Amino acid sequence: MGVSKRNKNIELLRIISMLMIVYHHYYVHSGWVFPNEFSGKAAFIIIMGSMGRIGVILFVLITGYFYSQQELKPKKILALSNAARWYAILSLIIVIFFTDTKLELTAQEIVPALFPVGFGYYWFLIPYVILLLLNPFIRNYLVSVDRKKKLLATLLLIIVLHIPGLIGIITQTEGYYVPSSLLTFFYFVLIGDLLKNYQHELATKYFNYVVLLFVFSGMLLVYKGLFYQPYAVEDFPKLPAFFLTGIESINALIFSATLFVIVLTKISIKKNLVLFVAPLVFDVYLLHDNKYIRPLIWQTIFNNKESFDSSWLILRSIFEPLVVFIVCLLFAFVRFTLFGVVKRKFQKN
């Protein structure tokens, strides 16, 4: 986990993105039963939970920022697969030996754990690995095309992909096309590359517009949690689940891209702690979002479903995800240490 040549601001963005994802999972996996009337507590939880997809977008934007400088490395894909396999197997061990869950070790349980990428054990890994595999082709485009042409092509792609959804939402007509995770990840990479190409202008000439878009898109995120509670207000128009906050959301993309620019160009970081923590954060995702671990965390250990009426709910909502994040970092540190020891022994032999 070398620290000498890494950008502290980029590493801080990695940490922020994963924290957002953990808070999102606190919201979506706790089994909340919100009241059928407006609730400030529900709004608070929804607003925090809305940040999860922002975290995903940020993570892929970082990949796009460096994409043109990197080459296809099978070792990186193997490392991702090994890490996912480690946590998939670890989760089975935890569930079988340390919980009351009755889980039979059938082929249907073992095979996906051994081959987590190919069997979609984690939804994020499939489109992400495909992007890594497509590096020779996408990278060639990024390094050979003028940045203005890349900007126009990316804008055109996004507009074409989102026109059906916009028409469907406005007319309240279902069945419209929604871009797949792979397609959205693809144009996140293109945008990440553009953020690098236009970094100087965005940090100087256009920075006021960056801040304006950040504030406006952030207000829409807050609006969805604070006012748009369709379980409480039945006469609201029907909107898709991803509206304003999903990875397919233009608003979420704007918020993510502007946050990226602000953190990258306007925050000064002197401590090296971020350089130590950042390489561990992907393990946080692999552990806490495992399909067996997430109900264990949010519904069994913390029992969040029964805590909605607690006077401590707001504090719990802030600190529970932080505790989960830190504990997962400890597991990640152990894995990195063990893998490092094994790697050194093989290199000696």
Side-chain angles (χ1 to χ4, degrees):
M1 294 185 293
V3 299
S4 58
K5 296 182 180 180
R6 302 201 331 259
N7 185 312
K8 291 180 183 179
N9 296 70
I10 290 291
E11 302 309 310
L12 178 60
L13 281 166
R14 293 188 201 275
I15 296 170
I16 291 172
S17 71
M18 192 53 62
L19 277 169
M20 288 178 165
I21 291 169
V22 176
Y23 276 96
H24 171 70
H25 291 152
Y26 165 77
Y27 162 50
V28 299
H29 296 308
S30 289
W32 300 108
V33 179
F34 293 140
N36 291 320
E37 58 185 13
F38 181 83
S39 167
K41 291 180 178 179
F44 184 79
I45 293 171
I46 292 171
I47 291 169
M48 287 204 313
S50 298
M51 295 299 161
R53 299 308 188 185
I54 307 297
V56 173
I57 297 172
L58 277 175
F59 202 91
V60 185
L61 287 177
I62 294 170
T63 300
Y65 186 84
F66 293 109
Y67 202 88
S68 64
Q69 301 170 348
Q70 298 175 338
E71 297 180 354
L72 175 61
K73 295 181 179 179
K75 286 185 178 180
K76 182 175 182 179
I77 297 174
L78 181 61
L80 284 173
S81 180
N82 286 338
R85 186 177 299 108
W86 168 272
Y87 287 109
I89 295 173
L90 178 63
S91 68
L92 290 176
I93 294 172
I94 292 173
V95 169
I96 292 172
F97 293 103
F98 299 98
T99 73
D100 296 328
T101 303
K102 296 181 180 180
L103 181 65
E104 295 183 5
L105 285 179
T106 63
Q108 288 72 31
E109 297 292 342
I110 296 174
V111 172
L114 294 176
F115 305 99
V117 176
F119 282 82
Y121 206 85
Y122 298 94
W123 76 267
F124 178 89
L125 283 181
I126 293 179
Y128 190 71
V129 168
I130 291 174
L131 276 182
L132 297 180
L133 290 171
L134 291 175
N135 177 276
F137 309 101
I138 301 175
R139 180 176 178 272
N140 182 61
Y141 164 77
L142 295 179
V143 299
S144 61
V145 177
D146 174 80
R147 69 175 189 170
K148 290 183 179 180
K149 292 181 179 179
K150 289 191 291 186
L151 176 61
L152 291 174
T154 302
L155 289 175
L156 180 61
L157 174 64
I158 294 174
I159 291 171
V160 169
L161 290 177
H162 286 274
I163 283 178
L166 180 62
I167 295 173
I169 292 171
I170 293 174
T171 62
Q172 292 289 280
T173 304
E174 297 182 355
Y176 50 83
Y177 172 76
V178 177
S180 66
S181 297
L182 179 58
L183 268 176
T184 55
F185 279 25
F186 172 65
Y187 66 70
F188 294 162
V189 165
L190 299 183
I191 293 171
D193 178 73
L194 287 169
L195 291 176
K196 181 184 65 177
N197 293 162
Y198 286 93
Q199 180 174 324
H200 176 70
E201 290 92 334
L202 290 170
T204 53
K205 183 179 179 181
Y206 300 115
F207 188 70
N208 288 338
Y209 296 105
V210 169
V211 173
L212 183 63
L213 287 172
F214 174 75
V215 172
F216 180 74
S217 58
M219 289 174 62
L220 289 178
L221 295 177
V222 173
Y223 163 80
K224 184 176 182 182
L226 194 57
F227 299 108
Y228 195 90
Q229 297 185 22
Y231 52 83
V233 185
E234 295 181 355
D235 59 350
F236 278 165
K238 185 177 181 180
L239 295 173
F242 67 80
F243 184 68
L244 296 180
T245 58
I247 61 170
E248 308 90 346
S249 166
I250 296 297
N251 183 71
L253 176 58
I254 291 172
F255 184 82
S256 302
T258 52
L259 176 61
F260 187 102
V261 172
I262 292 170
V263 174
L264 179 63
T265 62
K266 300 301 178 179
I267 293 181
S268 177
I269 307 170
K270 296 181 180 180
K271 301 291 184 180
N272 283 332
L273 180 62
V274 293
L275 298 176
F276 175 79
V277 173
L280 305 174
V281 297
F282 196 73
D283 284 49
V284 174
Y285 163 69
L286 295 175
L287 177 57
H288 92 281
D289 199 39
N290 179 278
K291 65 179 181 179
Y292 297 115
I293 299 299
R294 61 192 179 214
L296 178 63
I297 293 173
W298 307 118
Q299 298 179 27
T300 302
I301 296 175
F302 289 117
N303 193 21
N304 287 327
K305 185 178 180 180
E306 304 300 325
S307 68
F308 185 79
D309 294 323
S310 169
S311 59
W312 296 95
L313 178 65
I314 301 300
L315 285 177
R316 289 186 60 164
S317 300
I318 294 171
F319 288 105
E320 274 185 24
L322 283 176
V323 169
V324 171
F325 182 80
I326 293 170
V327 171
C328 289
L329 284 179
L330 294 176
F331 274 90
F333 179 74
V334 171
R335 184 186 76 82
F336 269 73
T337 302
L338 290 175
F339 277 39
V341 170
V342 172
K343 183 179 180 180
R344 286 192 293 272
K345 286 188 176 181
F346 272 101
Q347 288 176 340
K348 289 180 180 179
N349 296 332

